[in-house]
Amino acid sequence: MIRREVDAAGICILTFDRPGSPANIFDKATLLELNSHLTALTDDSQVKGLVLASAKKSIFIAGADIKSFSDEPDPERLRDLIELGQSVFNRIAALSIPTVAAIHGACVGGGYEITLACDYRIASPDKVTKIGLPETQLGILPAWGGCTRLPHLIGLPKTLDVILGGKTLAAIPALKCGMVDELAPAEYLVSLAAQRILTRGAGLRHRRQPLAFKLMNSSLAAAFIARRARTALLQKTRGHYPAVEKALDVVVRGLSRSLPDALALEREAILELSRGEASRNLVRIFLLQERAKKLTLPAGADGAKSDSPVKRLAVIGAGVMGAGIAQWASARELSVVLRDINTEQVAKGMATIAKLYEEGMKRHAFTAVEARAGLDRISPAPAEVSLRNIDIVIEAAVEKMALKKDIFCRLDELAGPQTILATNTSALSVSEIAAATRHPGRVVGIHFFNPVHRMQLVEVVLGKQTLPDVARRAVKFVQQLGKLPVVVKDSPGFLVNRILMPYLIEAGHLFECGARIEDIDEAMLDFGMPMGPLRLIDEVGLDVANHVAADLASKFSDRLQQPAVLGRMIEAGLLGRKSGAGFYLHQRRKGEPEVNPDVDRFHNDSRHAKLDRAALAQRMTLLMINEAARCLEEGVVGEPAAVDFGMVMGTGFAPFRGGPLRHADSRGVARVVAEMELLAAGGEPRFAPCVLLKTMAETNRKFYDN
């Protein structure tokens, strides 16, 4: 796992290079091997310093082996692993020689914690270099010294920002924050690290902190900072993420403890958290993300071309979605043709792309040179151009079937024989669109979510005639873009919108029947959703939500009926954020929007006015569970994990609950069915449980075995 060499100047270089893997990770075997190298190092009196480096192209060390961590059923064995990591990193920190970490690539979790045990950290400014402690996003906390050592390096306030937020920073922000000490080109990292050891020696570990830093880490300041942080945390997490609260406690208490006692706090906290349901669900979601990155579909007859990366892309439609797709692809070094009906529309699209690059530069996602190069890779096309040398065409026009058919009929003539024709439709039938072409087998759905630069999930929608090789290439293309694919069958609403719309429709019905906007949205925020359903409708646009609701209601009229309130509000010009008002008032540039008092006139009756928030949340979540089970029942996807993965990544469905089907398991399928049947018997047939749920309840089955 690790190569050891000592150069002529007496600098020992330990190079992590896990065989047969693109990533370096920490497991028990790696830690034991590292420990043996440290023993050899301490026995060699000629060694003047230690440099930690990596031979991987894009990863320094990607932390602990999360899969083995999650599969570990024995808490004592997990305790042993935590103690081993702490012990080995302590040996590095206690070395009498200077130590420097030469960081290139992902340096996260345990990968960053080992650098904290070093005296000095030099990182490359490359885009692949990411530095941070994301453990709280997995429902755990840094337990190999991260909670203990980071406050002494960057101070308590910055430490809490990083650890509680589970943040991973690019190299420049990490330098500004103090998480690394210096930046240097990747090819010079090791030589510069050696030079720093030879020229500065023990001075690398003796850093003078200003008085303000020491005051901020004092017991009095820590108590004040902790109180404020705890209040903000509870407002944000509503008590659903115990790892964040536990991390706050461990970091603050550890400040005034000895090193062994502080590490003991870390150890006991992670052991407690790892046994909790929230951590198990968050780790499962992480592993599903990793699986999506490696997903491979069977090759077709021409499988040799399936793995060829896409080089040239055309996007038809320069609106918000088309511009977002074009920008994201160009940033990943694809040549992009951006086509629309006239110069004005293309110019608007290019302006949107330029703004996305500008915002990316502010976040340090791009340098100015990278942003300029990305823009240069986009060719605006206000007139028809040849697409014969294009690898994939993505249509992102408005959601009108007749228009899409016309577009695909023409694309079929313009594109080369190997070109994939993809639609970004969010709900329309891919099979019907494909039928407008002479070669329906090369048509597939590649549905991005808005905003493209933030949403990781992409639905790859297989039409009835989509060829296996086209499906495979589409999945590879999504992965090439750094997105996470979920493969779904062509069906109304596909997967995510199919499950989301009954939830949004129910929110509309509840409002119509007297429930307050605040209660509806707060109920789902309390449940763990990132945004209330009525606020989400405002963000999407009432006109867009109404259109999708009408389309799905026409397909599932037995249980879906679009809320009349949406149509009435649209007639009144209340379209949501785009018009400045909807269920909320969006007039202020900063801060949360305020409830629109004018919409109370759209209540039809007061049937649900007295429902408490728990009852409101129950109704909306039951419909999501029911529709999720139907998607599985109908084969829209092949397994429960795909349903839950799609909903967590596509809608932000309370990640700590693991998804709607995992949530049904935790509540008990029989209990869920009983609640549905009670509501259905009370005159609301839309709550009638699907056949799959009823069968599972009768046979005492669960969606998951563990």
Side-chain angles (χ1 to χ4, degrees):
M1 310 288 183
I2 307 165
R3 295 195 303 273
R4 184 176 79 251
E5 55 185 322
V6 179
D7 67 15
I11 305 299
C12 176
I13 302 165
L14 293 182
T15 304
F16 289 79
D17 192 7
R18 190 178 187 87
S21 172
N24 293 316
I25 57 174
F26 278 126
D27 54 15
K28 185 175 181 179
T30 306
L31 289 169
L32 289 173
E33 185 174 333
L34 175 58
N35 198 48
S36 68
H37 283 299
L38 294 175
T39 298
L41 182 64
T42 54
D43 291 341
D44 189 344
S45 60
Q46 301 302 311
V47 172
K48 297 178 180 178
L50 170 65
V51 176
L52 300 182
S54 166
K56 304 301 184 187
K57 292 182 178 180
S58 60
I59 291 180
F60 177 70
I61 302 172
D65 180 4
I66 296 299
K67 187 169 191 316
S68 64
F69 179 91
S70 66
D71 290 343
E72 182 54 72
D74 183 355
E76 288 308 310
R77 291 177 63 184
L78 179 57
R79 178 186 292 275
D80 290 344
L81 181 64
I82 299 301
E83 289 179 345
L84 175 61
Q86 291 183 343
S87 172
V88 174
F89 291 4
N90 281 346
R91 289 192 71 185
I92 294 174
L95 288 172
S96 59
I97 55 175
T99 54
V100 178
I103 304 167
H104 173 69
C107 174
V108 294
Y112 181 61
E113 287 179 289
I114 193 174
T115 74
L116 286 173
C118 295
D119 300 320
Y120 200 74
R121 287 147 292 279
I122 307 175
S124 77
D126 295 49
K127 188 180 295 186
V128 296
T129 298
K130 303 292 183 183
I131 295 162
L133 296 169
E135 283 89 341
T136 55
Q137 294 187 13
L138 299 177
I140 52 177
L141 50 66
W144 281 339
C147 292
T148 299
R149 292 190 172 97
L150 189 59
H152 297 288
L153 179 67
I154 65 174
L156 180 60
K158 291 180 181 178
T159 294
L160 293 179
D161 183 53
V162 170
I163 292 180
L164 304 189
K167 290 187 176 180
T168 299
L169 306 180
I172 292 175
L175 176 67
K176 291 180 178 179
C177 180
M179 294 176 72
V180 297
D181 301 289
E182 192 174 350
L183 300 184
E187 58 269 29
Y188 299 123
L189 281 176
V190 173
S191 60
L192 182 61
Q195 182 183 343
R196 291 290 179 265
I197 290 172
L198 293 172
T199 57
R200 294 175 60 179
L204 291 174
R205 68 180 54 175
H206 300 302
R207 53 182 78 225
R208 293 181 179 179
Q209 300 291 9
L211 179 61
F213 181 97
K214 296 176 182 178
L215 290 174
M216 203 62 73
N217 276 15
S218 68
S219 298
L220 186 62
F224 174 74
I225 292 168
R227 278 196 300 271
R228 293 192 62 181
R230 187 167 283 107
T231 300
L233 278 180
L234 289 174
Q235 289 177 345
K236 184 177 181 180
T237 69
R238 303 190 179 224
H240 290 312
Y241 293 87
V244 185
E245 295 176 52
K246 183 66 72 174
L248 172 61
D249 180 64
V250 168
V251 171
V252 173
R253 290 173 61 196
L255 265 178
S256 58
R257 303 289 182 93
S258 66
L259 178 63
D261 287 348
L263 292 176
L265 289 176
E266 291 184 0
R267 184 169 62 248
E268 296 308 315
I270 195 172
L271 290 170
E272 177 187 333
L273 290 168
S274 66
R275 294 192 292 267
E277 185 177 4
S279 174
R280 291 198 298 270
N281 283 333
L282 291 169
V283 168
R284 286 167 181 145
I285 295 299
F286 170 79
L287 294 176
L288 289 175
Q289 292 179 55
E290 294 301 300
R291 187 178 74 165
K293 293 176 185 177
K294 302 169 186 174
L295 175 66
T296 300
L297 297 186
D302 195 11
K305 294 186 178 180
S306 298
D307 294 322
S308 301
V310 170
K311 296 180 180 178
R312 294 169 295 276
L313 170 70
V315 178
I316 311 301
V320 172
M321 288 303 296
I325 295 167
Q327 183 273 328
W328 187 265
S330 68
R332 274 129 197 93
E333 301 186 359
L334 274 69
S335 297
V336 182
V337 174
L338 182 64
R339 168 85 172 96
D340 214 313
I341 56 174
N342 56 45
T343 302
E344 182 182 359
Q345 294 302 112
V346 174
K348 286 181 180 178
M350 292 301 295
T352 300
I353 292 168
K355 185 176 180 181
L356 288 169
Y357 271 115
E358 183 179 345
E359 292 171 352
M361 286 190 289
K362 291 178 181 177
R363 300 192 311 271
H364 300 283
F366 313 106
T367 64
V369 172
E370 289 169 338
R372 183 70 259 170
L375 279 166
D376 289 345
R377 281 189 284 269
I378 302 175
S379 302
E384 198 170 83
V385 295
S386 173
L387 303 174
R388 296 196 64 80
N389 294 321
I390 296 294
D391 298 312
I392 292 184
V393 179
I394 299 179
E395 168 273 320
V398 296
E399 292 285 89
K400 294 182 179 179
M401 179 59 79
L403 174 63
K404 290 185 185 291
K405 284 183 175 180
D406 288 343
I407 290 173
F408 271 79
C409 183
R410 185 61 181 148
L411 291 177
D412 198 31
E413 298 173 359
L414 294 172
Q418 296 299 322
T419 304
I420 291 176
L421 304 183
T423 174
N424 184 55
T425 180
S426 61
L428 299 179
S429 170
V430 173
S431 301
E432 187 175 344
I433 293 171
T437 72
R438 295 169 299 168
H439 308 94
R442 65 167 165 171
V443 177
V444 66
I446 300 182
H447 175 218
F448 293 83
F449 290 83
N450 190 30
V452 175
H453 66 286
R454 294 192 185 277
M455 300 297 288
Q456 289 182 281
L457 190 76
V458 174
E459 289 178 317
V460 176
V461 187
L462 308 186
K464 292 178 181 177
Q465 297 187 50
T466 301
L467 294 171
D469 193 55
V470 169
R472 178 183 169 93
R473 290 168 63 197
V475 167
K476 291 291 183 185
F477 167 66
V478 170
Q479 293 165 331
Q480 181 184 342
L481 292 182
K483 299 294 187 182
L484 302 175
V486 59
V487 179
V488 304
K489 185 177 74 173
D490 186 20
S491 177
F494 311 141
L495 175 68
V496 173
N497 282 336
R498 165 82 177 269
I499 300 171
L500 184 67
M501 284 313 299
Y503 160 69
L504 298 181
I505 287 172
E506 183 64 15
H509 286 315
L510 289 168
F511 172 75
E512 277 184 330
C513 297
R516 298 191 316 148
I517 293 171
E518 302 97 311
D519 288 335
I520 293 169
D521 278 2
E522 287 294 320
M524 294 314 298
L525 289 171
D526 287 342
F527 177 80
M529 298 297 280
M531 184 180 291
L534 299 181
R535 170 78 184 278
L536 179 58
I537 290 173
D538 264 17
E539 296 294 329
V540 170
L542 273 76
D543 51 344
V544 174
N546 194 51
H547 174 76
V548 178
D551 183 65
L552 281 181
S554 69
K555 306 291 195 308
F556 305 114
S557 57
D558 59 324
R559 60 182 184 276
L560 292 183
Q561 182 179 1
Q562 64 188 117
V565 65
L566 295 184
R568 291 162 59 201
M569 289 177 67
I570 291 168
E571 289 176 3
L574 300 172
L575 304 181
R577 180 175 288 279
K578 68 176 72 175
S579 66
F583 290 102
Y584 291 83
L585 298 175
H586 302 270
Q587 306 298 340
R588 294 185 300 174
R589 289 189 175 184
K590 293 184 178 180
E592 289 295 304
E594 299 172 351
V595 169
N596 185 356
D598 187 47
V599 298
D600 285 345
R601 61 192 170 99
F602 294 108
H603 289 306
N604 278 350
D605 55 56
S606 59
R607 273 177 293 163
H608 297 324
K610 294 185 179 180
L611 288 177
D612 62 20
R613 291 180 180 178
L616 293 170
Q618 178 199 44
R619 286 169 169 265
M620 290 182 277
T621 55
L622 285 178
L623 288 176
M624 280 194 281
I625 290 170
N626 209 11
E627 208 61 38
R630 280 195 179 96
C631 286
L632 194 61
E633 185 178 69
E634 297 171 14
V636 176
V637 292
E639 58 175 351
V643 175
D644 287 340
F645 174 66
M647 287 303 291
V648 171
M649 301 307 299
T651 72
F653 184 98
F656 69 95
R657 298 188 189 275
L661 299 183
R662 182 71 73 175
H663 178 53
D665 272 0
S666 67
R667 295 195 67 220
V669 175
R671 177 184 172 186
V672 167
V673 167
E675 291 172 351
M676 288 180 180
E677 289 178 332
L678 184 63
L679 289 169
E684 299 179 278
R686 64 186 178 278
F687 287 99
C690 69
V691 173
L692 176 60
L693 281 175
K694 291 175 69 174
T695 302
M696 291 177 65
E698 290 166 0
T699 56
N700 197 30
R701 284 168 48 211
K702 300 171 69 175
F703 288 102
Y704 295 92
D705 294 329
N706 55 26

